[in-house]
């Protein structure tokens, strides 16, 4: 089928594909820098901690800021549209050996990133890093050790300043996401204590003066981590309650729930009770494994809940996965394109008609329509969307990855 035929097909469902293409072209996704170096960062030689794990040893990992930036450029050059980048505090760039610990980070340590983003007209989102650090061997913001707890509170405060700097320099908001790995391997004697400490730490962090239009703080909950199987301080109820009570934005990572719970089901509820919400889009396989985002059923279902509820401007969409077993640049492009495909698939579905079928109890027709649309010519609209954004819709981008691997990645040794 050609685009014009596909256009006609969708017209018969009342969908204007040109308008859809325009709408999708305006969606910015936040691309996480940490896919490029297995969540390594530049501020320490500590190995990755916090109950998260990259697996694989594919050659070509970025070892320096220059390499990481080059890889991100390569990835972004193969994704249609204009996007944002998402940094972690551990990606600070220290010039002339001017290393600073996490409680002393300053905007100047991110000046190179601002330069990078400015040249490419991109926004930056940000994350304090509460892991891979000697003071993160136990609890962080929920610690009962005052030295440790205040160190991490100070880290978060530094990050607010840096986020404000990003927003001011780049003229767009900066999302600042707080995720801590705090938890326990075995059954805790005291569950309430650490949560009370975390509450106190968050209160202290939010007492900082900052421009709430520019810095959008989000709170990310989790169910468990490796070595932290029995107890997570920052659980879903904890952050939901804190966020609701204090007018803070919640962030849902779809790898952070029990396997039969779906973030797609949570999105509409959250939209009813929050002005804005944020997502970490990932793919959990058996556990929070952070596999590359595919164009699979749950990914489509999450996109549907955003598009169908007309909430594209109320949901901050960030990718979050790290796969070291395949070409890392390819992993970025695959995930970015797949989230766009999921949004496209949702935009090409006549939700109003389908809602009517649901409201009228016509569940047979609803099922048949849904199944019919699964083989609709979405690929032709995808190709046209790519074309209009100066990209190829097929697999040609992968040839560029192969060439980049040969010319650049494999030469890294
Ligand atoms: C960990 C969380 C968190 C991290 C990043 C690196 O389970 O998902 O968002 O993946 O901050
Ligand atoms: Zn996450």
């Amino acid at each position: 089928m050609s685009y014009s035929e596909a256009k006609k097909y969708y017209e018969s469902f009342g969908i204007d594909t040109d308008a859809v293409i325009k709408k999708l072209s305006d969606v910015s996704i936040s691309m996480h820098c940490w896919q490029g170096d297995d969540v390594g960062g530049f501020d320490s030689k500590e190995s990755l901690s916090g109950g998260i794990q990259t697996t694989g040893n594919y050659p070509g990992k970025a070892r320096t800021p220059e390499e990481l930036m080059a890889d991100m450029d390569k990835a972004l050059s193969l994704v249609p549209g204009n996007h944002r980048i998402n940094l972690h505090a551990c990606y600070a760039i220290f010039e002339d050996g001017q290393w600073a610990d996490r409680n002393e980070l300053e905007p100047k340590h991110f000046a190179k990133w601002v330069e990078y983003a400015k040249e490419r007209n991109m926004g930056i989102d940000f994350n304090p890093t509460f892991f891979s650090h000697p003071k993160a061997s136990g609890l962080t913001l929920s610690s009962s050790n005052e030295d440790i707890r205040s160190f991490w509170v100070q880290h978060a405060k530094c990050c607010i300043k840096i986020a404000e700097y990003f927003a001011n320099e780049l003229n767009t908001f900066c999302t600042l996401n707080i995720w801590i790995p705090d938890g326990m391997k075995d059954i805790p004697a005291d569950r309430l204590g650490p949560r009370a400490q975390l509450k106190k730490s968050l209160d202290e962090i939010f007492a900082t003066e900052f421009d709430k239009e520019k810095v959008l703080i989000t709170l990310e909950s989790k169910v468990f981590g490796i070595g932290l199987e029995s107890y997570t301080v920052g659980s879903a109820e904890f952050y939901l309650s804190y966020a609701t009570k204090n007018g803070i934005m919640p962030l849902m990572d779809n790898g952070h729930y029990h396997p039969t719970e779906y973030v797609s089901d949570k999105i509409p509820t959250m939209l009813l009770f929050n002005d804005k919400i944020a997502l970490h889009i990932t793919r959990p396989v058996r556990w929070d494994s952070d596999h590359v985002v595919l164009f699979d059923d749950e990914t489509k279902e999450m996109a549907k809940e955003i598009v169908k509820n007309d909430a594209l401007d109320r949901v901050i969409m960030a990718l979050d996965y790290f796969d070291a077993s395949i070409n890392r640049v390819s992993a970025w492009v695959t995930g970015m394109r797949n989230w766009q495909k999921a949004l496209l698939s949702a935009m090409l579905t006549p939700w109003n008609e389908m809602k009517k079928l649901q409201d009228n109890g016509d569940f047979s027709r609803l099922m048949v329509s849904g199944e019919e649309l699964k083989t609709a010519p979405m690929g032709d609209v995808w190709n046209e969307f790519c074309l209009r954004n100066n990209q190829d819709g097929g697999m040609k981008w992968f040839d560029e990855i192969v060439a980049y691997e040969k010319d650049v990645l494999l030469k890294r040794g």
Side-chain angles (χ1 to χ4, degrees):
M1 222 186 244
S2 66
Y3 176 65
S4 61
E5 284 170 299
K7 191 173 154 63
K8 275 198 203 111
Y9 174 92
Y10 285 109
E11 256 161 23
S12 72
F13 287 93
I15 292 167
D16 173 353
T17 50
D18 290 327
V20 162
I21 289 175
K22 168 82 183 64
K23 196 172 178 180
L24 184 60
S25 303
D26 289 342
V27 176
S28 283
I29 306 166
S30 194
M31 191 180 90
H32 55 316
C33 76
W34 53 92
Q35 162 57 40
D37 72 337
D38 312 343
V39 210
F42 308 129
D43 74 339
S44 79
K45 297 263 172 292
E46 293 268 326
S47 54
L48 180 59
S49 78
I52 54 179
Q53 186 93 66
T54 39
T55 53
N57 197 19
Y58 202 84
K61 170 164 93 174
R63 297 159 303 179
T64 62
E66 293 70 31
E67 288 180 356
L68 186 62
M69 287 174 183
D71 293 357
M72 291 168 77
D73 272 343
K74 189 77 221 170
L76 287 165
S77 78
L78 301 172
V79 178
N82 298 316
H83 301 284
R84 306 168 59 84
I85 58 167
N86 203 357
L87 302 179
H88 242 284
C90 61
Y91 289 82
I93 301 175
F94 304 112
E95 301 211 61
D96 317 316
Q98 301 275 312
W99 180 82
D101 206 349
R102 302 253 173 100
N103 61 338
E104 287 172 343
L105 286 176
E106 292 177 50
K108 70 175 185 205
H109 301 127
F110 293 86
K112 278 258 158 67
W113 283 112
V114 164
E115 206 179 292
Y116 174 85
K118 258 191 196 162
E119 277 167 12
R120 290 152 183 82
N121 198 20
M122 296 188 300
I124 300 183
D125 296 311
F126 198 44
N127 304 259
T129 310
F130 298 98
F131 51 84
S132 306
H133 186 278
K135 286 197 165 64
S137 58
L139 304 178
T140 64
L141 288 180
S142 70
S143 176
S144 58
N145 175 321
E146 196 49 30
D147 284 346
I148 303 248
R149 195 188 65 83
S150 58
F151 174 89
W152 291 112
V153 168
Q154 195 46 43
H155 173 54
K157 289 185 176 177
C158 294
C159 289
I160 293 179
K161 289 261 164 326
I162 296 161
E164 223 162 15
Y165 160 71
F166 288 148
N168 287 332
E169 291 288 324
L170 303 170
N171 272 318
T172 170
F173 68 89
C174 173
T175 316
L176 183 71
N177 177 50
I178 296 182
W179 171 72
I180 56 166
D182 298 24
M184 280 174 208
K185 182 183 175 78
D186 232 312
I187 303 162
D190 174 21
R191 288 187 171 86
L192 189 120
R195 289 191 173 131
Q197 291 294 95
L198 175 55
K199 182 167 177 278
K200 179 165 133 188
S201 296
L202 293 176
D203 289 346
E204 287 172 21
I205 294 165
F206 286 112
T208 313
E209 292 251 339
F210 64 95
D211 187 333
K212 301 200 169 54
E213 300 284 309
K214 292 180 179 166
V215 179
L216 309 179
I217 302 192
T218 60
L219 299 172
E220 179 181 14
S221 67
K222 188 163 178 174
V223 63
F224 84 97
I226 298 177
L228 308 158
E229 290 85 359
S230 298
Y231 169 67
T232 301
V233 184
S235 60
E237 301 71 27
F238 178 90
Y239 281 128
L240 267 187
S241 310
Y242 192 93
T244 307
K245 207 163 178 195
N246 298 284
I248 314 289
M249 204 193 312
L251 182 146
M252 296 187 290
D253 177 312
N254 61 308
H256 289 193
Y257 297 86
H258 288 286
T260 55
E261 271 184 89
Y262 290 108
V263 163
S264 55
D265 185 61
K266 299 173 191 297
I267 290 171
T269 302
M270 303 301 275
L271 287 174
L272 277 178
F273 291 96
N274 295 275
D275 292 338
K276 281 188 167 203
I277 61 168
L279 294 180
H280 269 184
I281 301 153
T282 187
R283 179 166 54 107
V285 180
R286 315 270 178 233
W287 64 289
D288 181 35
S289 58
D290 286 292
H291 279 64
V292 177
V293 170
L294 298 184
F295 182 52
D296 59 15
D297 285 350
E298 172 57 5
T299 306
K300 283 190 243 181
E301 207 61 22
M302 292 192 335
K304 160 186 161 182
E305 291 300 336
I306 300 169
V307 169
K308 189 222 146 246
N309 296 315
D310 208 10
L312 277 167
D313 55 351
R314 293 173 57 204
V315 182
I316 293 172
M317 298 172 278
L319 300 187
D320 179 18
Y321 53 80
F322 20 96
D323 191 339
S325 74
I326 54 175
N327 182 302
R328 293 172 183 79
V329 183
S330 167
W332 263 320
V333 179
T334 304
M336 291 288 281
R337 282 181 169 235
N338 279 335
W339 181 244
Q340 291 181 307
K341 282 184 181 167
L343 292 170
L344 178 62
S345 153
M347 290 175 188
L348 292 175
T349 306
W351 295 117
N352 289 338
E353 295 307 309
M354 293 174 81
K355 176 183 161 17
K356 264 185 225 148
L357 296 177
Q358 174 177 319
D359 290 346
N360 294 335
D362 194 349
F363 295 110
S364 313
R365 185 176 284 275
L366 180 59
M367 181 188 280
V368 173
S369 315
E371 293 307 293
E372 161 64 22
L373 281 156
K374 282 186 183 169
T375 50
M378 181 192 127
D380 296 295
V381 184
W382 168 258
N383 287 339
E384 185 67 19
F385 160 72
C386 289
L387 220 66
R388 290 189 194 175
N389 283 283
N390 308 314
Q391 294 280 340
D392 180 75
M395 261 186 75
K396 271 201 196 125
W397 64 267
F398 192 69
D399 297 340
E400 287 214 31
I401 298 278
V402 172
Y404 188 71
E405 179 168 308
K406 182 168 160 280
D407 299 341
V408 180
L409 300 179
L410 291 180
K411 296 201 170 130
R412 286 180 188 165

